Amino acid sequence: MNEDMSSPLLRDDHHYVLLLPNLDEQFLTRHELQEFLQQLLQEYPHLQDADLARYGDLASQAERVIQTTCSLAISEGETVQWYAVRLHKPAPPPLPT
């Protein structure tokens, strides 16, 4: 099933994979992603465009970013990306009989 980022099913997910330039992927909870994006918006004020400026605080701005995109270009050639993921725990092996 091919779902875009606007799918309510993906919006309900609680985990994201975060891709940072020159680093291994990281798995974050939604709360951790929101905190990361708040720090990013504070550190890189140029990311706060006219749309985000309508939201008064960093928490609201970060939430808006999560809802509307999955990447931010932080500098020339450096992009931060994140994607909603479903983490599935594998089934335990069958018990011996």
Side-chain angles (χ1 to χ4, degrees):
M1 186 163 146
N2 187 5
E3 297 173 297
D4 65 20
M5 287 301 293
S6 63
S7 168
L9 292 175
L10 283 178
R11 293 275 168 239
D12 290 340
D13 280 353
H14 298 286
H15 294 93
Y16 293 80
V17 63
L18 176 65
L19 306 172
L20 299 169
N22 303 316
L23 294 174
D24 291 337
E25 64 187 18
Q26 298 176 46
F27 289 91
L28 303 176
T29 64
R30 183 178 181 87
H31 178 74
E32 290 168 333
L33 177 62
Q34 186 167 7
E35 286 181 344
F36 171 81
L37 291 173
Q38 287 180 72
Q39 291 174 340
L40 198 68
L41 291 169
Q42 187 170 14
E43 189 173 329
Y44 297 93
H46 70 278
L47 297 175
Q48 297 180 26
D49 61 12
D51 177 56
L52 290 182
R54 297 181 309 150
Y55 299 86
D57 59 79
L58 287 174
S60 298
Q61 291 175 352
E63 183 61 32
R64 175 71 175 163
V65 169
I66 292 171
Q67 291 176 0
T68 59
T69 190
C70 60
S71 68
L72 289 172
I74 56 174
S75 63
E76 184 69 34
E78 290 190 305
T79 301
V80 174
Q81 299 175 316
W82 59 92
Y83 301 96
V85 293
R86 290 187 179 98
L87 301 179
H88 295 283
K89 184 176 177 180
L95 297 173
T97 55

